[in-house]
Amino acid sequence: MNMNRRQFCALGTAGAMAAIAGGVSLGCSSTTASGESSQSEPAATAMAIGDANVNFSQEVDILIVGAGISGMLASIDPASAGRSVLIVEQNSTYGGDAIYSAACQMCTTAELTKEERPDKYMSEDEIREKFAPYYEGNEAGLERTVLLQKWGGKFIDTMHYDWGYEFQELRESPYHQAFFPKNGLCTMKDEFELMNEKVVEAGAQYLFETTFKTLITDETGAIAGGRFTSKDGSIVDIKAKAVVLAGGGYISNQEWMVKYAPEWAFIGNIVAGRKGDTIAAGVAAGGTLSGMMASGNLNPRYEAGHMLGTFYPLIGLLPNGKRFYAETAVHNAATGCLAAGYNEWYSIWDDTAQNGIDQEVIAHAGDAIQTAGSIEELAEKMGMALETVQAAFDDWDAICDNQSDPEFGKTLFLQKLVPPYYFIRNVPVRYKSCGGLAVSDRMEVVDKDGNPIPNLYAAGCTAGTEDIVPAAGSGLLLGSVLAEDLA
């Protein structure tokens, strides 16, 4: 319907994206490398690109942009409370990036952690004490971390105790604080199928293959909905009492990477379509940025090349034939490779891993995995001198004989590899960003003075989370807030 009786305006998200990259103020903050923000006065006239040419085709109580884990979980409580909830997603299905991940779900605050692995459980006070050194002078940031850790625990407990999901039984690994999908690495699809059941049971609806463009405000400047583009290119305007921005981070936005994480800007990227559109929308609405910097780690191009080290004997070798990290510290692989001055490395394993339960992570690598029946064949296929590879294996065998890794301190899976060997050539890639919209403890998008912007919320990577469990926790927290705010 054509809303001629009232004036509506589409906010200039494209302009906000350019302003963020160039450091121009649009009612937002430019963030320093230390994560501190420097604000300036908003330039409201730069935000409007339209006026009454808004045609709402649908009206809902809550509009959620993004069907990743945070958006899905944010929908359940308000929908269960009788609110009309629509989740709009640019892809053809739910799950976002996490559904394809190795799905190492780190959590120390869940009751399930306390029950199954009490030595890894941490209270809120213990979390606060642990993270305090990283948040000197930033009490609000520390408390936000504690809050999301707490709600991340609620996610694990909700999945297990309330919804009956059985996480994988605890296996020997360096990550006893982590929960893994029941069918092995890279099988989080099962978890998402259960979450989707709960979304549908609650009464929330999806609109797929519809791409977010910008927020819509009414004549008072209040958030009134969102504008999207459908698969056929037509404009879709949706009216809402509240809008949740949960469209992910900005890792594929090259301009932003150059500005906020220049040391990683020219490393390859394996995540497409994460240009920070929902972050830019929040900025155009008067929101601010927080914590924009390089993420905590890089990833290998193929997850099998590092995640198999979580549960199995595996050797990581640089092109010079040297080990360069403790292979059980899986997230040190890609960053460790670069720190050693190389842009590639080889991961080698044997039938112990190849025939283990983690078949999906192996399947994801496909033809990138090669086999060798001997060290001679292995050296030839890797393009390395036989004596170099033999020396590496001799060193590894000595470590296994002594059950001691003096250089890197690896203590698990000190087991000799036997042919046939399996190996993969890996390269470092970027796959997640750090930082996003500043939010309150109720996941409300806030302006430069810390005041909530009415009707506008954010969750997941759009709100600066980096990992699966905090993103999920932010969604659950926001769902409880929305059920209360729109009661």
Side-chain angles (χ1 to χ4, degrees), residues 172 304 306-316 327-328 347-354 396 400 410 412-418 421-422:
E172 188 61 72
H306 74 149
M307 287 304 298
L308 287 176
T310 307
F311 300 115
Y312 308 99
L314 177 145
I315 305 174
E327 291 88 349
T328 47
S347 298
I348 308 165
W349 62 91
D350 64 10
D351 277 336
T352 307
Q354 189 69 16
W396 176 250
C400 295
K410 184 176 178 180
L412 296 177
F413 316 126
L414 302 182
Q415 176 181 324
K416 295 179 182 180
L417 302 185
V418 297
Y421 304 113
Y422 304 86

Side-chain angles (χ1 to χ4, degrees), residues 392-404 416:
F393 270 70
D394 290 344
D395 289 344
W396 176 250
D397 288 351
I399 288 170
C400 295
D401 286 338
N402 297 320
Q403 289 295 290
S404 174
K416 295 179 182 180

Side-chain angles (χ1 to χ4, degrees), residues 8 39 75 93 136 153 156 161 165 179 181 239 280 294 324 344 377 382 386 404 417 428 450-451 454 474:
F8 291 89
Q39 291 88 13
S75 75
T93 189
E136 278 192 47
I156 296 294
Y161 295 115
Y165 184 81
F179 293 88
K239 188 178 182 182
F324 60 102
E344 65 179 21
E377 185 180 6
M382 290 197 306
L386 173 58
S404 174
L417 302 185
N451 299 314
S474 73

Side-chain angles (χ1 to χ4, degrees), residues 25-220:
S25 173
L26 275 177
C28 69
S29 65
S30 58
T31 308
T32 66
S34 65
E36 298 178 352
S37 299
S38 92
Q39 291 88 13
S40 56
E41 290 302 310
T45 56
M47 295 194 296
I49 60 170
D51 47 22
N53 297 319
V54 171
N55 295 279
F56 289 118
S57 59
Q58 188 173 354
E59 182 173 350
V60 295
D61 291 324
I62 300 167
L63 173 62
I64 298 176
V65 183
I69 195 168
S70 62
M72 292 174 71
L73 292 173
S75 75
I76 295 173
D77 278 359
S80 297
R83 307 280 75 80
S84 57
V85 181
L86 179 65
I87 309 172
V88 183
E89 167 61 42
Q90 66 182 358
N91 295 314
S92 59
T93 189
Y94 55 81
D97 298 324
I99 198 171
Y100 303 109
S101 72
C104 176
Q105 298 158 78
M106 306 288 283
C107 184
T108 59
T109 60
E111 287 299 312
L112 187 59
T113 308
K114 183 188 293 186
E115 177 185 330
E116 290 189 348
R117 46 200 92 172
D119 59 314
K120 296 299 181 183
Y121 176 79
M122 297 180 72
S123 67
E124 290 182 47
D125 285 341
E126 288 171 324
I127 291 286
R128 187 175 289 106
E129 182 179 356
K130 176 181 177 179
F131 284 95
Y134 303 99
Y135 287 95
E136 278 192 47
N138 184 7
E139 188 68 23
L142 175 61
E143 291 307 313
R144 184 71 40 71
T145 294
V146 173
L147 180 69
L148 291 182
Q149 291 286 323
K150 169 186 171 182
W151 278 88
K154 289 180 182 291
F155 161 68
I156 296 294
D157 290 336
T158 297
M159 289 288 293
H160 179 72
Y161 295 115
D162 298 344
W163 297 347
Y165 184 81
E166 294 293 337
F167 290 96
Q168 186 180 132
E169 289 187 7
L170 186 62
R171 286 195 278 168
E172 188 61 72
S173 86
Y175 300 113
H176 283 181
Q177 71 272 42
F179 293 88
F180 292 91
K182 59 185 176 183
N183 292 321
L185 296 167
C186 290
T187 63
M188 199 169 179
K189 182 179 179 183
D190 293 340
E191 290 184 56
F192 271 103
E193 287 175 347
L194 177 56
M195 284 183 266
N196 177 61
E197 286 180 17
K198 300 304 175 181
V199 169
V200 174
E201 286 175 7
Q205 296 184 320
Y206 293 104
L207 179 60
F208 293 117
E209 296 184 314
T210 305
T211 302
F212 176 70
K213 299 297 290 182
T214 190
L215 292 167
I216 296 172
T217 62
D218 63 18
E219 72 274 13
T220 71

Side-chain angles (χ1 to χ4, degrees), residues 248-462:
Y250 58 92
I251 194 65
S252 57
N253 186 320
Q254 191 63 20
E255 284 186 278
W256 290 17
M257 289 301 296
V258 169
K259 180 175 177 60
Y260 297 111
E263 64 272 38
W264 286 5
F266 299 102
I267 295 170
N269 171 47
I270 60 170
V271 178
R274 292 291 177 260
K275 296 185 179 297
D277 295 346
T278 48
I279 298 174
V283 169
T288 61
L289 299 175
S290 176
M292 303 284 280
M293 63 186 75
S295 177
N297 56 64
L298 296 168
N299 219 45
R301 170 65 181 86
Y302 301 103
E303 296 255 37
H306 74 149
M307 287 304 298
L308 287 176
T310 307
F311 300 115
Y312 308 99
L314 177 145
I315 305 174
L317 296 181
L318 294 170
N320 64 0
K322 301 295 185 182
R323 289 175 64 228
F324 60 102
Y325 76 113
E327 291 88 349
T328 47
V330 295
H331 290 296
N332 290 348
T335 47
C337 172
L338 290 178
Y342 289 88
N343 293 301
E344 65 179 21
W345 78 97
Y346 293 91
S347 298
I348 308 165
W349 62 91
D350 64 10
D351 277 336
T352 307
Q354 189 69 16
N355 298 327
I357 72 168
D358 298 286
Q359 291 300 303
E360 191 65 27
V361 72
I362 290 173
H364 282 195
D367 293 339
I369 297 176
Q370 299 183 59
T371 61
S374 65
I375 289 182
E376 289 80 6
E377 185 180 6
L378 180 65
E380 180 181 356
K381 287 189 172 181
M382 290 197 306
M384 295 170 63
L386 173 58
E387 57 269 25
T388 299
V389 177
Q390 185 64 63
F393 270 70
D394 290 344
D395 289 344
W396 176 250
D397 288 351
I399 288 170
C400 295
D401 286 338
N402 297 320
Q403 289 295 290
S404 174
D405 179 16
E407 187 171 6
F408 298 107
K410 184 176 178 180
T411 59
L412 296 177
F413 316 126
L414 302 182
Q415 176 181 324
K416 295 179 182 180
L417 302 185
V418 297
Y421 304 113
Y422 304 86
F423 73 96
I424 196 167
R425 173 187 173 273
N426 244 319
V427 296
V429 293
R430 64 184 203 244
Y431 72 115
K432 61 183 179 181
S433 55
C434 186
L437 291 171
V439 294
S440 73
D441 288 346
R442 303 176 77 251
M443 307 310 295
E444 303 155 309
V445 178
V446 297
D447 65 18
K448 65 183 181 64
D449 297 317
N451 299 314
I453 297 172
N455 311 332
L456 188 61
Y457 305 81
C461 293
T462 298

